Amino acid sequence: MRPTEIEAIRQQLPGWLEASLPCVSRGKVAAYIPELSKAPHAALGITLLNTMGESATAGDCGLRFTMQSISKVFTLILALMDNGEDAVFSKVGMEPTGDNFNSMLKLELVRPGIPFNPMINAGAITVSSLIHGDSPSEKSDRILQFLQELSGNAGLEYDLGVYRSESETGNLNRSIAFFLKENGVLSGNVEEVLEVYFRHCSIAVNCADLARMALVLACSGTDPLTGNTLIPRRYVQIARTFMTTCGMYNASGEFAIQVGLPAKSGVSGGILTFVPGRYGIGVLGPALNDKGNSYAGVHLLQTISREMNWSIF
Ligand code: GLN
């Protein structure tokens, strides 16, 4: 009998991962958030999960890491669910920047001075200010609960070590937030908005958690394993589009050509991606390239996508 697709992937995956390992030595672990520099440089892991709940895993897929910018996809969705499209897009744009994820450059250069998109830090900080709740902790806990629901893992928690480390050293993000406040883009207390932002960046997951969240996006907002609709289809469509155009920062065009799947990366080395209607995928590889994406993680996704002919383009 011919193996099913997931069985075939299970057979090939260790070899594909092995072939991506040499990339690890070319990357660097992020150190600008001091706590992140403790991540295992040579780690590489992946989990793929299909709509039947069958998974294929390889490497260090059980390691825990913080979501960092991957959380931006889900805070955008929650802000859309809280406020609707018009309110959100009056504060943040829809275009890629071509600049680094933490750049402030265009906030001053281009009018109106709203962030270009919700996947860069300026945009995500703005989105954090739109999450409903009476206090920073209520807002943060709503985000955490949303991610617990999407991952099917009620045990997801903040990594408080990483949270404090970023909160103590995040001067660039602070500058961005104050600049946005000055321009009337951010309303409310700047430190409180940053608390919400740093907290959702510090939510700890493993590759299986990311794969399950990604599977919900792959299935247009309905968790195929429970049948529950967790996100309105339209907001998934918006999130998927941003992942395609801006999810890998200023390497999103290259990723679209080399891998061809909507994706979002974080400086912890995580990547969340999916094959529409079919697979949710979580990857970890803490050694980053100069654009802030996992070096080996991108290489591994490129191999799998080519072997399986998964590009959506
Ligand atoms: N918390 C990180 C920051 O704001 C997230 C950035 C990222 O993952 N690219 O710098």
Side-chain angles (χ1 to χ4, degrees), residues 30 32-33 36 66-72 101-102 119-122 124-125 162 166 170 172-173 176 197-198 200-202 247 249 264-270 288 291-293:
Y32 76 98
I33 301 172
L36 289 187
T66 52
M67 289 181 77
Q68 298 302 332
S69 284
I70 298 170
S71 59
K72 293 170 179 171
F101 65 83
N102 53 8
M119 302 291 114
I120 52 170
N121 288 11
I125 292 168
V162 172
E166 180 163 24
L172 184 50
N173 283 325
I176 292 173
Y197 174 76
F198 291 144
H200 68 69
C201 287
S202 80
Y249 316 117
K264 183 76 201 85
S265 66
V267 281
S268 50
L288 307 178
K291 299 285 169 59
N293 297 317

Side-chain angles (χ1 to χ4, degrees), residues 204-266:
V205 292
N206 61 25
C207 290
D209 297 319
L210 287 190
R212 182 78 185 269
M213 294 177 201
L215 188 64
V216 178
L217 300 179
C219 297
S220 297
T222 299
D223 182 342
L225 307 185
T226 61
N228 296 334
T229 295
L230 303 175
I231 308 168
R233 174 180 287 266
R234 169 66 182 156
Y235 299 152
V236 176
Q237 189 178 48
I238 293 173
R240 283 172 164 204
T241 311
F242 277 122
M243 289 170 76
T244 307
T245 57
C246 324
M248 302 299 281
Y249 316 117
N250 39 344
S252 298
E254 186 180 344
F255 190 87
I257 288 172
Q258 304 293 11
V259 180
L261 297 172
K264 183 76 201 85
S265 66

Side-chain angles (χ1 to χ4, degrees), residues 135-157:
S135 62
S137 64
E138 198 179 306
K139 293 174 194 187
S140 307
D141 287 350
R142 285 191 63 235
I143 299 168
L144 179 63
Q145 272 166 20
F146 186 47
L147 292 170
Q148 287 172 341
E149 203 175 19
L150 288 162
S151 63
N153 181 358
L156 288 195
E157 268 305 334

Side-chain angles (χ1 to χ4, degrees), residues 51-75:
T51 54
M52 314 273 288
E54 299 166 319
S55 58
T57 62
D60 304 302
C61 55
L63 284 181
R64 270 163 48 93
F65 53 98
T66 52
M67 289 181 77
Q68 298 302 332
S69 284
I70 298 170
S71 59
K72 293 170 179 171
V73 174
F74 300 101
T75 50

Side-chain angles (χ1 to χ4, degrees), residues 77-154:
I77 291 171
L78 192 57
L80 287 164
M81 288 163 70
D82 281 354
N83 304 278
E85 274 179 60
D86 291 349
V88 170
F89 294 118
S90 70
K91 300 277 184 193
V92 62
M94 301 182 183
E95 303 304 333
T97 60
D99 303 326
N100 290 339
F101 65 83
N102 53 8
S103 171
M104 308 180 60
L105 191 66
K106 294 217 165 64
L107 289 180
E108 198 172 8
L109 277 185
V110 183
R111 294 279 114 199
I114 61 171
F116 264 51
N117 69 69
M119 302 291 114
I120 52 170
N121 288 11
I125 292 168
T126 305
V127 166
S128 295
S129 76
L130 301 174
I131 301 293
H132 286 183
D134 287 336
S135 62
S137 64
E138 198 179 306
K139 293 174 194 187
S140 307
D141 287 350
R142 285 191 63 235
I143 299 168
L144 179 63
Q145 272 166 20
F146 186 47
L147 292 170
Q148 287 172 341
E149 203 175 19
L150 288 162
S151 63
N153 181 358

